[in-house]
Amino acid sequence: MTAVLTVAAGEIRSALRNRWVLSATLVLAALALSLALLGSAPTGTVGVAPLDVTVVSLTSLTIFLVPLIALLLSHDAIVGERERGTLLLLLSYPLARWQVIAGKFIGHTAVVSIAVTLGYGSAGLVIAWLFGGIDSESMTAFAALIGSSIVLGAAFLALGYLVSVCAPQRATAIGVAVAIWLVLVLVYDAALLGILVADTSRSMPAELVQALLVLNPADAFRLFNLAGLGRVGTFSGMAAVSQQAHAGGAILISMLILWTALPLLGAAVIFGRREV
Amino acid sequence: MAVVEAHHVSRRYGEHLAVDDVTVAFQPGQCTAIVGHNGAGKSTLIKMLLGLVRPTAGRITIFGEDPSAGNRRWRSQVGFLPENVSFPPSLSGRETLDFYSRLKGQSAAANGDLLDRVGLGAAAANRRVSTYSKGMRQRLGLAQALLGNPRLLVLDEPTSGLDPSSRQNFYAILRDLVADGAAVLLSSHALEEIEGQASRIAVMSQGRLMAFGSLDDLRGLSQLPVRIQLRVANGHAAALVHSLGVPATVQGHDIALSCMAAAKMDVLRRVASCDEVVDFNVQPPSLDSLYAWFMEAGR
């Protein structure tokens, strides 16, 4: 366990030192604040809880940004060390290969957590200070957003390690990581929408659509935050989906955890078998 | 008992046989140098000994264990300096060493002294590794290899990038470790600096172990001639060469002879008994020439 924590602490220290944490936090905070302030304009007099609106806009922001940040952190983790020549030395120390992956995962998850919590937290505080009217339900929705964003980040970190242990070169790793991001975040939804539009005879059962949505980690995250949490769902435009897609919050979060655990396990197994 | 040994070990990469049927054992209290050209299989052999690359044939034992098996306790007794070592650039030398000492389960308290010992003073140790010269990185690499007084120290091209005085310092550290009973294994192209530092020499060529033994063992194996240089009093050179009856070249007062090791004492006695000889010196075959001989013999 000491070895895992040492690797994790090393990753956190590196990320703090090379300003990864700072830049990720600043980007998230800046975008979250501008979305929150812009988003609050039309709601001013309607009496909708401002923090809830912020949750809706931050959910979309998270789906684009957090997977990207996670993949940028993790795609390089193994193949980068291999190319720089630090991996050979690390593996000559008394730690197992899975401990390297576990340590990096813990360290990078901490980095994502710091960035998301500070970035979104600061936006939440500004909203609360400007508009007031924060009840416990809004607070719960906002906390759930931060928590689930971290889990979404963890899933894409794990995917990044899987890429990193398989890739022969860093250039390959970044290419595959960007492809994964494009497919899961952009192409998947567009393709699903296209199929639904083309499917004029409605031959596709609703259960299949629901299952396809839940299977994608980005959509599972979206459903969890927009449809899964009471009031937020009603003005997120996801109400219709949420009634059809009555997958509970527990299932959606389990799906995200599965998307974390399986690639992480795969990465550890493949890394254990590969040569330096 | 040998600290680490290889038994008929081979490693194939596709069509290329990087290491070909090597059997060798490294003993405690000895400094062994692996010499060979680029691509001779030195680094691959080293990586296999440390369990970082699996052999395609043969067996390796390190501290009595199979290095690619699950048990990693022996790793805390091994120091390794890879070829072209590099470190995370954003950390300082001190932080880097602290990181590696924690990984080895060692206290970081003695790390300042260790950095001093390899010639990285406090000012250098607190700078980021990205500002280091190649020699400083190499010294930091040596410091991490020395963590926890290893029983086996494996150094791949350790003195590349070091200036002559750091080299002396480096070999002094190695001598201390060997005197303490550690096994030291280093690979190098720089044959002239290994001569006198390593008590055992392993010559590798095209993946094969061509020879293994002390410098004298290798000289015996190679049958390379001993060179003897004489200086004679004026005008006696030609007559002396004639009387000695061994191949020689004359250049003014200087005569260069070469003879086999077995005939050396006989020639020397005759040379020493000549009143005309004013000075002489004997050069056994250098590691350079031995190396060239083994390369040629390997073809």
Side-chain angles (χ1 to χ4, degrees):
Chain A
M1 201 58 203
T2 339
V4 174
L5 291 181
T6 304
V7 174
E11 288 298 332
I12 295 171
R13 192 194 282 260
S14 281
L16 286 171
R17 193 62 61 80
N18 59 27
R19 303 201 171 80
W20 241 107
V21 174
L22 184 70
S23 42
T25 306
L26 284 182
V27 165
L28 285 177
L31 286 172
L33 266 176
S34 45
L35 277 179
L37 294 175
L38 287 174
S40 68
T43 66
T45 53
V46 194
V48 178
L51 198 58
D52 290 2
V53 176
T54 307
V55 168
V56 174
S57 42
L58 284 189
T59 299
S60 302
L61 176 67
T62 302
I63 287 174
F64 283 97
L65 220 49
V66 169
L68 198 62
I69 291 174
L71 285 170
L72 283 178
L73 268 174
S74 63
H75 81 274
D76 196 42
I78 302 299
V79 74
E81 289 223 22
R82 180 179 286 135
E83 249 172 54
R84 283 187 295 271
T86 47
L87 188 64
L88 192 65
L89 183 59
L90 187 63
L91 293 180
S92 77
Y93 274 77
L95 79 168
R97 305 251 176 131
W98 70 264
Q99 288 177 309
V100 175
I101 300 271
K104 283 180 179 281
F105 175 69
I106 292 172
H108 287 156
T109 304
V111 170
V112 171
S113 305
I114 295 169
V116 168
T117 310
L118 289 183
Y120 288 2
S122 61
L125 284 178
V126 169
I127 298 293
W129 176 63
L130 282 178
F131 305 103
I134 309 295
D135 58 13
S136 68
E137 200 176 334
S138 295
M139 288 290 285
T140 311
F142 197 75
L145 170 77
I146 290 182
S148 58
S149 299
I150 292 169
V151 182
L152 181 71
F156 279 86
L157 282 175
L159 283 168
Y161 300 133
L162 189 58
V163 172
S164 201
V165 294
C166 296
Q169 289 161 22
R170 292 169 82 178
T172 321
I174 186 102
V176 175
V178 167
I180 286 178
W181 180 81
L182 275 176
V183 167
L184 290 182
V185 172
L186 296 177
V187 177
Y188 192 92
D189 283 357
L192 196 57
L193 197 63
I195 290 168
L196 286 176
V197 168
D199 183 27
T200 43
S201 58
R202 293 180 158 248
S203 59
M204 230 167 123
E207 290 78 18
L208 181 63
V209 178
Q210 179 194 337
L212 284 174
L213 275 180
V214 174
L215 277 176
N216 179 341
D219 286 318
F221 172 82
R222 197 195 313 270
L223 283 175
F224 176 80
N225 280 290
L226 297 189
L229 289 167
R231 221 165 47 191
V232 175
T234 56
F235 47 84
S236 63
M238 292 290 278
V241 186
S242 75
Q243 272 153 19
Q244 273 185 14
H246 37 69
I251 292 178
L252 294 166
I253 282 292
S254 313
M255 186 51 71
L256 285 180
I257 291 173
L258 209 61
W259 269 100
T260 310
L262 289 182
L264 207 55
L265 200 68
V269 168
I270 293 170
F271 188 37
R273 289 189 185 158
R274 269 200 73 161
E275 295 210 314
V276 183
Chain B
M1 197 191 96
V3 173
V4 55
E5 53 192 311
H7 192 73
H8 294 295
V9 163
S10 299
R11 170 69 214 203
R12 183 179 284 284
Y13 289 102
E15 284 295 292
H16 175 61
L17 198 55
V19 170
D20 183 3
D21 195 25
V22 168
T23 299
V24 66
F26 302 100
Q27 307 292 338
Q30 280 184 358
C31 177
T32 308
I34 305 182
V35 301
H37 55 84
N38 288 323
K42 306 186 296 281
S43 290
T44 307
L45 178 62
I46 283 177
K47 285 180 203 165
M48 285 196 289
L49 292 175
L50 293 175
L52 297 168
V53 166
R54 273 185 286 269
T56 40
R59 181 167 50 80
I60 287 173
T61 319
I62 184 164
F63 293 104
E65 311 246 12
D66 172 1
S68 49
N71 187 347
R72 286 173 302 276
R73 258 172 318 186
W74 57 269
R75 286 199 185 278
S76 51
Q77 304 187 56
V78 175
F80 175 43
L81 173 59
E83 190 179 3
N84 299 323
V85 68
S86 65
F87 298 103
S90 58
L91 300 185
S92 73
R94 178 66 202 249
E95 287 169 330
T96 304
L97 197 59
D98 288 355
F99 171 77
Y100 286 111
S101 66
R102 276 194 296 276
L103 272 188
K104 242 181 189 174
Q106 300 281 329
S107 154
N111 287 356
D113 293 340
L114 187 52
L115 285 166
D116 265 343
R117 193 171 161 202
V118 297
L120 287 173
N126 290 325
R127 270 167 45 199
R128 287 190 183 200
V129 174
S130 57
T131 67
Y132 279 19
S133 66
K134 177 148 198 303
M136 290 168 80
R137 277 208 307 277
Q138 201 69 15
R139 279 181 255 176
L140 181 58
L142 180 62
Q144 66 76 29
L146 293 173
L147 282 167
N149 284 319
R151 306 313 298 154
L152 170 65
L153 193 63
V154 180
L155 311 159
D156 200 353
E157 304 284 347
T159 55
S160 61
L162 290 185
D163 56 59
S165 82
S166 324
R167 263 176 219 196
Q168 291 310 314
N169 177 33
F170 167 82
Y171 282 114
I173 293 173
L174 289 198
R175 278 194 295 274
D176 288 349
L177 276 170
V178 171
D180 274 355
V184 175
L185 181 56
L186 61 96
S187 80
S188 186
H189 310 290
L191 302 179
E192 69 282 6
E193 68 174 69
I194 281 177
E195 213 168 334
Q197 304 294 348
S199 54
R200 291 287 182 280
I201 289 157
V203 182
M204 284 190 79
S205 173
Q206 288 163 359
R208 276 172 299 158
L209 184 66
M210 309 300 299
F212 181 75
S214 68
L215 203 51
D216 284 337
D217 294 342
L218 298 194
R219 283 181 183 134
L221 279 173
S222 73
Q223 296 293 313
L224 277 177
V226 178
R227 288 182 194 288
I228 304 170
Q229 275 155 350
L230 309 176
R231 173 157 288 196
V232 293
N234 208 1
H236 297 284
L240 180 68
V241 165
H242 187 72
S243 74
L244 285 171
V246 289
T249 53
V250 181
Q251 208 165 42
H253 303 296
D254 295 314
I255 305 174
L257 303 174
S258 60
C259 66
M260 300 316 278
K264 182 179 72 179
M265 286 316 295
D266 184 45
V267 173
L268 283 181
R269 275 188 207 100
R270 284 193 280 154
V271 164
S273 63
C274 283
D275 293 335
E276 293 84 4
V277 176
V278 292
D279 192 14
F280 73 84
N281 83 68
V282 182
Q283 279 181 327
S286 67
L287 186 51
D288 260 330
S289 55
L290 283 170
Y291 177 71
W293 187 87
F294 281 108
M295 291 299 106
E296 198 57 44
R299 288 215 182 92

